[in-house]
Amino acid sequence: MTLNPADDAFAETLAAELPDNSLRRAEPRYLEEPRGRWHGSSGWVALPRSADEAARILRACNAARVGVVPFGGGTGLVGGQVAPDTPAPLIVSLQRMSAIRAVYPQENVLVAEAGAVLASVQEAAREAGRLFPLSLASEGTARIGGLLSTNAGGVNVLRYGNARDQVLGLEAVLPDGTVWNGLKRLRKDNTGYDLRHLLLGAEGTLGLITAASLKLAPVPASVGTAFFTVESPAAALALLALARDQLGEGISAFELISRQGLDFLTEKLPEVRQPWPAAPEWCVLIELGLARGLDPASALETLFETALDEELVSDAIVAQSEQQRTEFWAVRERIPEGNKAIGAISSHDISVPLGAIPEFIERGAPLIAGLGDFRINCFGHLGDGNLHYNVFPAPGKRREDHVNQREEIKRTVHDLVHAYGGSVSAEHGIGRLKVEDLERYGDPAKLAAMRAIKAALDPAGIMNPGAVLRG
Amino acid sequence: MTLNPADDAFAETLAAELPDNSLRRAEPRYLEEPRGRWHGSSGWVALPRSADEAARILRACNAARVGVVPFGGGTGLVGGQVAPDTPAPLIVSLQRMSAIRAVYPQENVLVAEAGAVLASVQEAAREAGRLFPLSLASEGTARIGGLLSTNAGGVNVLRYGNARDQVLGLEAVLPDGTVWNGLKRLRKDNTGYDLRHLLLGAEGTLGLITAASLKLAPVPASVGTAFFTVESPAAALALLALARDQLGEGISAFELISRQGLDFLTEKLPEVRQPWPAAPEWCVLIELGLARGLDPASALETLFETALDEELVSDAIVAQSEQQRTEFWAVRERIPEGNKAIGAISSHDISVPLGAIPEFIERGAPLIAGLGDFRINCFGHLGDGNLHYNVFPAPGKRREDHVNQREEIKRTVHDLVHAYGGSVSAEHGIGRLKVEDLERYGDPAKLAAMRAIKAALDPAGIMNPGAVLRG
């Protein structure tokens, strides 16, 4: 099925059905993505102000067989936000739908439009004395619609789940231009198939999310943050199990950091303050959020002492102030920046079953070494079994020297992940970057079902063409 | 599309493809359901021992256009487990697939086959020092496959979520007889559409779940249980908000009970020990599960004192022993038995947004009174906004005297629920009981999408025909 371009004639017809200034020519920022691997074809951007306007836009696109690329904050890392290989699509930006429609503190619910920036949703929750727990590096730019469409992860998944787990209801426009008014605020609703979870994580290929009712959580009464130095990933995992036994659901984050990542920071971002005299081989950033009546400092001390007895840790530094806490988190959150400055040959957002992590890391290193002289920075959300496993050139070499090895490295890492029953896209999604990976590693029955669902809900194939499934 | 019956000829052909004794004639227990409203047509039961055998069964049914009714523990309350109006379907019972395939304590994961009884899954988790939090009255009979297919609720949803929230991965046979090997043990996996959540809650109409990898939770270090007497549902709701402020995620259950329910127990089940000298008008059963270092007794005392100051509660009785805790829960869990002994004219498993509950209850009573002289027993999972709102005849009358009013009562309750943006099936599902309700109250865009998905995945319409969607 061939799509038609969103050309000037189409734009003119569509503009007539919408309020003034609803369409504009696509500026460069709508045609780029952070990795710089794809550039969208030039064309038009539509900027709806309501679900009804979004519906009119999709109806027109469906009738004219014009592709639609939903656009949020543009921070996605797998190219889901730009369509380079199809006739110029209509980009539909949700930026004008950025309202917090309502907050219900007693219900622990907030209703946000898809264009709301994550930080502003967090802020609205905070003002109501509640927590919206989704948290990730791009939270000042990423918008709710994109975060939900990609089922974003981040640092608090261990405790609160992925983006999809924060959603009670959705308002969305389906590919045929009908509006699904599914903005329920219910914790229990068993009336038919869960269309919500189908759109969540579908990366805009099954419909356009325009608003969501989101769960809020209680704000922990107190927070404690510390770096624990551990011998190995296996020790880190044993520490996590110990922490869970002692603290139950009180662990909000559990991030693994390797010396390689710290060395990159030292080299490229020396202004990032590292709290050790010498960078440890492996360490864990642990954050507790505890209920009233519990003291994080003493909980961390108890955890450290037990872990020391069990020879899991050798050192711990507990943040003594909010400023130090911010500094600790900066170490973790600026690692991707350090990586970028060095220049990864191949980056992998993978997950394996928690218990398999130590073996995965142990087996990965010699496999990569077998391909050449590389450096590995393996770090991430250990509590979720989600690692960012990035491969860099040896000192003195550049990523450009290894371009022709990228595929081989990627294949090696992904094959190993697959052998452990893992995922080759833990939190970033498929987008355009991993369409082939999905075909290679995906379960055939699931893939067939996905294709059948796509064809059923979007028979003209207009929604985000080429993302997730080959067009 | 007409289906063919699972007649003797079909059974004979199918039996040849399966190990001995894989088929037997349907005994009465496969053709009945707890409400006694539907009786299945007689026919054959297939009893697969593996996903592969289940796949052979579904392939044969799909080829012969024979309906399939998945059968778990048979405890469902909406008739999803019997198909009365179609040519005799093949009943596929999962009872021989009841193994706990593996437990991974370090990962907090357990893999169970669909035929595993809930209580045995809870037990396996307990033996590993973990908690499988799904808990409901029928847990000694209900099987995992049915619980997941209906997205069951129960008493711990407030803290741990519904059945669907406990699932990391599924193994399932799709309607065409292909096996989806989706038994991942990952917390993060963004590789394509979430087929898992589509099958969960689909009530067997989109495929047959054969196994699941399930999340386990830490066992709370200590538990505290109490009855709080409250003035009104509004006070109960304010108490919940207060409890959340004080205890965060430490509240495991928060159940509302009305005097009507207690009076039914007194009348019909006098052996159930009620801890009050006189039954309170409204009370709440609250259960805390706290982390190490916290004392439930003092937490309950603090909560009571603050609530007393705010005039939300008038009395509290804290369970002083495990035996008393069991007695408290028996009061809550035997209310449905009391109801059954009285005989409800119409029962409603509804949810409304938490904040709307007091108004819903206040407005419901006069509406029902306007229809005649009835008694209302309204009780349930207040923390989830999920009430069981059941209407009974006045003393001296029988449900049979009001059969012709059932529809009107149901409509009145459901219309009110709908007006508040609620759900007419909070935790029981649609089954065959609520197909019309779904058509009446369901969002048209969602219904159209559901029909398209059903047609795409099960074009012959063999899976649980007549459940959820009209055949």
Side-chain angles (χ1 to χ4, degrees):
Chain A
M1 208 140 25
T2 329
L3 294 171
N4 298 314
D7 56 18
D8 292 359
F10 173 76
E12 199 176 315
T13 316
L14 179 58
E17 294 182 45
L18 295 169
D20 283 353
N21 303 315
S22 292
L23 271 85
R24 58 165 86 137
R25 284 192 191 275
E27 301 150 40
R29 67 185 182 97
Y30 294 111
L31 305 169
E32 293 159 359
E33 49 80 34
R35 285 198 200 276
R37 290 183 57 172
W38 289 273
H39 293 274
S41 19
S42 65
W44 289 88
V45 183
L47 302 128
R49 290 174 188 83
S50 66
D52 173 63
E53 287 180 24
R56 275 185 265 167
I57 293 166
L58 262 63
R59 265 199 301 276
C61 289
N62 196 39
R65 296 184 179 275
V66 164
V68 171
V69 174
F71 199 91
T75 61
L77 292 171
V78 289
Q81 67 275 62
V82 285
D85 304 324
T86 49
L90 184 70
I91 297 158
V92 179
S93 166
L94 277 299
Q95 69 202 60
R96 285 183 181 160
M97 294 184 69
S98 62
I100 307 293
R101 286 197 193 158
V103 185
Y104 304 87
Q106 199 183 32
E107 297 181 7
N108 284 306
V109 174
L110 178 154
V111 179
E113 292 189 335
V117 169
L118 174 50
S120 73
V121 174
Q122 292 168 340
E123 180 55 30
R126 207 159 25 235
E127 279 170 15
R130 298 290 182 271
L131 174 72
F132 183 63
L134 191 64
S135 175
L136 34 74
S138 62
E139 61 197 27
T141 313
R143 296 176 191 267
I144 284 296
L147 290 159
L148 300 187
S149 292
T150 58
N151 184 30
V155 295
N156 289 337
V157 175
L158 173 65
R159 180 169 189 159
Y160 298 100
N162 295 286
R164 69 166 69 253
D165 301 308
Q166 319 309 323
V167 180
L168 294 174
L170 291 178
E171 173 191 271
V173 184
L174 300 184
D176 64 358
T178 55
V179 176
W180 170 39
N181 290 301
L183 221 44
K184 301 250 177 181
R185 313 198 309 266
L186 308 172
R187 306 276 161 171
K188 283 181 168 174
D189 179 20
N190 273 341
T191 50
Y193 306 160
D194 202 323
L195 197 54
R196 172 186 55 149
H197 278 300
L198 193 59
L199 292 186
L200 297 166
E203 305 184 35
T205 64
L206 296 178
L208 180 72
I209 294 172
T210 52
S213 50
L214 301 167
K215 280 189 219 171
L216 303 179
V219 180
S222 58
V223 172
T225 307
F227 276 116
F228 279 44
T229 300
V230 294
E231 185 74 13
S232 62
L237 210 61
L239 175 66
L240 174 62
L242 187 67
R244 273 181 170 154
D245 280 345
Q246 290 189 0
L247 296 157
E249 292 121 323
I251 310 157
S252 300
F254 198 90
E255 298 285 308
L256 182 71
I257 297 172
S258 75
R259 191 164 63 80
Q260 190 62 81
L262 299 174
D263 287 351
F264 286 172
L265 285 183
T266 305
E267 185 183 339
K268 296 290 184 182
L269 300 165
E271 72 276 19
V272 175
R273 189 162 166 183
Q274 299 185 28
W276 309 272
E281 200 61 38
W282 292 100
C283 69
V284 159
L285 178 62
I286 179 167
E287 184 154 289
L288 308 182
L290 300 184
R292 211 186 274 200
L294 292 175
D295 174 35
S298 83
L300 286 166
E301 197 182 315
T302 306
L303 177 62
F304 177 67
E305 281 167 9
T306 328
L308 196 64
D309 280 352
E310 299 186 11
E311 297 181 8
L312 302 175
V313 300
S314 58
D315 194 14
I317 315 177
V318 177
Q320 299 298 331
S321 63
E322 184 57 30
Q323 192 201 323
Q324 207 176 14
R325 189 182 153 241
T326 308
E327 283 175 13
F328 282 18
W329 272 105
V331 173
R332 164 62 186 88
E333 287 183 343
R334 298 191 69 182
I335 286 176
E337 226 177 304
N339 289 345
K340 201 167 179 181
I342 298 285
I345 304 165
S346 185
S347 304
H348 314 95
D349 161 45
I350 59 103
S351 68
V352 293
L354 216 53
I357 281 186
E359 210 180 300
F360 170 81
I361 293 176
E362 259 170 50
R363 285 187 55 196
L367 286 175
I368 297 298
L371 301 178
D373 190 11
F374 300 117
R375 292 179 290 180
I376 298 168
N377 184 12
C378 169
F379 66 102
H381 319 297
L382 184 72
D384 314 317
N386 173 200
L387 298 173
H388 299 301
Y389 192 93
N390 299 357
V391 179
F392 298 83
K397 295 268 192 175
R398 296 168 317 144
R399 61 186 302 192
E400 290 74 16
D401 303 332
H402 300 284
V403 168
N404 60 351
Q405 286 176 285
R406 180 190 278 170
E407 268 309 304
E408 197 181 6
I409 293 171
K410 191 187 80 172
R411 179 64 59 88
T412 302
V413 174
H414 284 181
D415 280 357
L416 189 62
V417 166
H418 188 63
Y420 281 109
S423 168
V424 298
S425 188
E427 58 175 5
H428 295 164
I430 298 298
R432 291 176 174 79
L433 183 67
K434 298 188 177 173
V435 171
E436 272 182 48
D437 292 297
L438 179 61
E439 288 169 353
R440 180 176 169 84
Y441 301 109
D443 178 87
K446 176 179 165 174
L447 281 170
M450 282 174 59
R451 290 193 187 101
I453 292 165
K454 170 74 175 173
L457 297 183
D458 182 17
I462 60 165
M463 293 306 300
N464 212 358
V468 185
L469 295 170
R470 208 175 287 271
Chain B
M1 209 141 29
T2 327
L3 294 170
N4 298 314
D7 56 20
D8 292 358
F10 173 76
E12 200 175 315
T13 317
L14 178 59
E17 295 181 45
L18 295 169
D20 283 354
N21 303 315
S22 292
L23 269 86
R24 59 165 83 138
R25 284 192 191 277
E27 302 151 40
R29 68 187 180 95
Y30 293 110
L31 306 169
E32 293 160 359
E33 49 80 36
R35 285 199 200 274
R37 291 189 47 179
W38 289 274
H39 293 274
S41 17
S42 64
W44 290 87
V45 183
L47 302 126
R49 291 172 188 81
S50 67
D52 173 64
E53 287 181 24
R56 275 185 265 169
I57 294 166
L58 261 61
R59 265 199 300 277
C61 289
N62 195 40
R65 296 186 178 273
V66 164
V68 171
V69 174
F71 198 91
T75 60
L77 292 172
V78 289
Q81 67 275 63
V82 286
D85 303 321
T86 51
L90 183 68
I91 297 158
V92 179
S93 168
L94 278 298
Q95 69 202 60
R96 284 180 182 163
M97 294 186 69
S98 62
I100 308 294
R101 286 195 194 159
V103 185
Y104 304 87
Q106 202 183 29
E107 297 181 7
N108 285 307
V109 174
L110 179 154
V111 180
E113 292 189 335
V117 169
L118 175 51
S120 73
V121 174
Q122 292 168 340
E123 181 57 28
R126 206 159 25 234
E127 279 170 16
R130 298 289 182 272
L131 173 73
F132 183 64
L134 191 63
S135 174
L136 34 74
S138 61
E139 61 197 24
T141 313
R143 295 175 192 268
I144 285 294
L147 290 159
L148 300 188
S149 292
T150 57
N151 184 29
V155 295
N156 289 336
V157 175
L158 173 65
R159 180 170 190 159
Y160 299 100
N162 294 286
R164 69 167 68 252
D165 301 307
Q166 319 308 322
V167 180
L168 293 175
L170 291 178
E171 174 191 271
V173 184
L174 300 184
D176 64 358
T178 55
V179 177
W180 170 40
N181 290 301
L183 221 45
K184 301 253 177 180
R185 314 199 308 268
L186 308 172
R187 307 276 161 172
K188 282 181 171 174
D189 179 18
N190 273 341
T191 50
Y193 305 159
D194 202 323
L195 198 53
R196 170 186 56 148
H197 278 300
L198 193 59
L199 293 185
L200 296 167
E203 305 184 34
T205 63
L206 297 178
L208 180 71
I209 294 171
T210 53
S213 50
L214 301 167
K215 280 188 219 169
L216 304 179
V219 180
S222 59
V223 172
T225 308
F227 275 117
F228 279 44
T229 301
V230 294
E231 183 75 10
S232 63
L237 210 61
L239 175 65
L240 174 61
L242 187 67
R244 274 181 170 153
D245 280 344
Q246 291 189 359
L247 296 156
E249 291 121 321
I251 311 156
S252 300
F254 198 91
E255 298 285 309
L256 182 71
I257 297 172
S258 74
R259 191 166 62 82
Q260 189 63 79
L262 299 173
D263 288 351
F264 286 171
L265 286 182
T266 306
E267 184 182 338
K268 296 291 184 180
L269 300 164
E271 72 276 19
V272 175
R273 191 161 163 184
Q274 299 185 28
W276 309 270
E281 199 62 35
W282 293 99
C283 69
V284 159
L285 179 61
I286 179 167
E287 183 154 288
L288 308 183
L290 300 184
R292 214 185 273 196
L294 293 175
D295 174 36
S298 83
L300 286 166
E301 198 181 315
T302 306
L303 178 62
F304 177 68
E305 281 167 9
T306 329
L308 196 64
D309 280 351
E310 299 187 11
E311 297 183 7
L312 302 175
V313 300
S314 58
D315 195 13
I317 315 177
V318 177
Q320 299 297 332
S321 64
E322 185 57 29
Q323 193 201 323
Q324 206 177 15
R325 186 179 157 245
T326 309
E327 283 175 12
F328 282 17
W329 272 105
V331 173
R332 164 63 185 89
E333 288 182 342
R334 297 190 70 182
I335 287 176
E337 226 176 304
N339 289 346
K340 201 167 178 180
I342 298 284
I345 304 164
S346 187
S347 304
H348 314 95
D349 161 43
I350 59 102
S351 68
V352 292
L354 218 52
I357 281 185
E359 209 179 299
F360 170 81
I361 293 176
E362 258 170 51
R363 284 187 54 193
L367 286 175
I368 298 297
L371 301 177
D373 189 12
F374 300 117
R375 291 178 291 180
I376 298 168
N377 184 12
C378 169
F379 66 103
H381 318 300
L382 184 70
D384 314 317
N386 174 200
L387 298 172
H388 299 301
Y389 192 94
N390 299 356
V391 179
F392 298 84
K397 294 270 191 173
R398 296 166 319 142
R399 63 189 295 194
E400 290 75 14
D401 301 332
H402 300 284
V403 169
N404 59 352
Q405 286 175 283
R406 178 190 280 169
E407 270 307 305
E408 197 181 6
I409 292 170
K410 190 187 80 171
R411 179 64 59 87
T412 302
V413 174
H414 285 180
D415 280 356
L416 188 61
V417 165
H418 188 63
Y420 281 109
S423 168
V424 299
S425 187
E427 58 175 5
H428 295 164
I430 298 297
R432 291 176 173 79
L433 183 66
K434 296 187 179 174
V435 171
E436 272 181 50
D437 291 296
L438 180 59
E439 289 169 351
R440 179 176 171 83
Y441 301 108
D443 178 87
K446 175 177 166 176
L447 281 169
M450 283 175 58
R451 290 193 187 101
I453 292 164
K454 170 74 174 174
L457 297 183
D458 182 17
I462 61 166
M463 294 306 300
N464 213 358
V468 185
L469 295 170
R470 206 175 288 271

